[in-house]
């Protein structure tokens, strides 16, 4: 694996894109924020910024709301995985999305020991059209 500039620490990360995934969204501006780890009252999460950002870049739609949202906006078709309820874009669709993200996605981050507090404030105070959780008030939410 190549070295990553993203720290293996708790924090908040934000995504913006050189090319917009939808004509009603502006390129180059912050469109999504996430956290690592998420708040877990009953156990300790092993997630950190590096793992979470890497998963958004290389994972699949079943484990990444960002990938799910981007893929749908880009017109990729969701498929059920196995007999469960998990949905992905299939191997070809996920590869297409990974390449699109490699070409267009940019990520920034800030280390924060309890990122869930900051995430809630950011979603409520910023214009973040690709966030689903805690963001029903956003005008773009109904499209997603």
């Amino acid at each position: 694996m190549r070295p990553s500039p993203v720290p293996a620490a708790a924090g908040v990360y934000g995504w913006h894109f050189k090319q917009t995934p939808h004509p009603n969204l502006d390129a180059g501006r912050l469109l999504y924020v996430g956290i690592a780890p998420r708040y877990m009252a009953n156990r300790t999460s092993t997630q950190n910024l590096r793992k979470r950002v890497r998963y958004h870049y290389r994972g699949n739609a079943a484990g990444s709301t960002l990938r799910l949202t981007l893929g749908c906006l880009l017109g990729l078709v969701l498929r059920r995985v196995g007999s469960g309820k998990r949905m992905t874009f299939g191997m070809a669709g996920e590869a297409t999305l990974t390449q699109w993200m490699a070409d267009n996605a940019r990520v920034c981050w800030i280390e924060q020991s309890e990122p869930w507090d900051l995430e809630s404030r950011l979603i409520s105070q910023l214009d973040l059209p690709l966030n689903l959780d805690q963001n029903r008030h956003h005008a773009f939410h109904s499209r997603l």
Side-chain angles (χ1 to χ4, degrees):
M1 247 187 261
R2 293 185 319 203
S4 173
V6 183
V12 177
Y13 52 88
W15 292 86
H16 51 99
F17 304 90
K18 287 191 324 184
Q19 176 183 320
T20 180
H22 188 276
N24 291 356
L25 299 174
D26 295 325
R29 67 182 276 288
L30 187 65
L31 297 177
Y32 180 90
V33 296
I35 61 170
R38 64 185 173 88
Y39 179 75
M40 302 176 82
N42 58 348
R43 64 186 176 93
T44 303
S45 173
T46 62
Q47 286 294 314
N48 61 49
L49 287 168
R50 182 179 301 154
K51 288 179 184 179
R52 197 67 193 135
V53 167
R54 183 173 285 145
Y55 192 86
H56 282 306
Y57 267 120
R58 299 185 192 155
N60 62 53
S64 166
T65 300
L66 177 63
R67 287 184 70 87
L68 174 66
T69 302
L70 289 173
C72 289
L73 290 173
L74 294 169
L76 300 175
V77 178
L78 279 170
R79 303 181 188 319
R80 189 174 63 170
V81 177
S83 60
K85 295 180 181 179
R86 290 179 25 136
M87 303 283 281
T88 74
F89 298 113
M91 286 184 62
E94 294 290 350
T96 298
L97 179 55
T98 296
Q99 185 59 56
W100 185 90
M101 289 184 71
D103 294 341
N104 294 287
R106 302 296 180 260
V107 66
C108 55
W109 61 87
I110 183 170
E111 292 183 41
Q112 176 79 22
S113 61
E114 295 181 349
W116 43 89
D117 292 332
L118 182 55
E119 180 192 37
S120 295
R121 286 196 316 259
L122 291 172
I123 292 172
S124 69
Q125 295 175 13
L126 298 178
D127 179 17
L128 299 166
L130 300 187
N131 278 83
L132 295 176
D133 188 37
Q134 305 177 55
N135 206 24
R136 290 197 182 280
H137 65 277
H138 195 283
F140 200 75
H141 190 274
S142 63
R143 290 182 183 265
L144 304 175

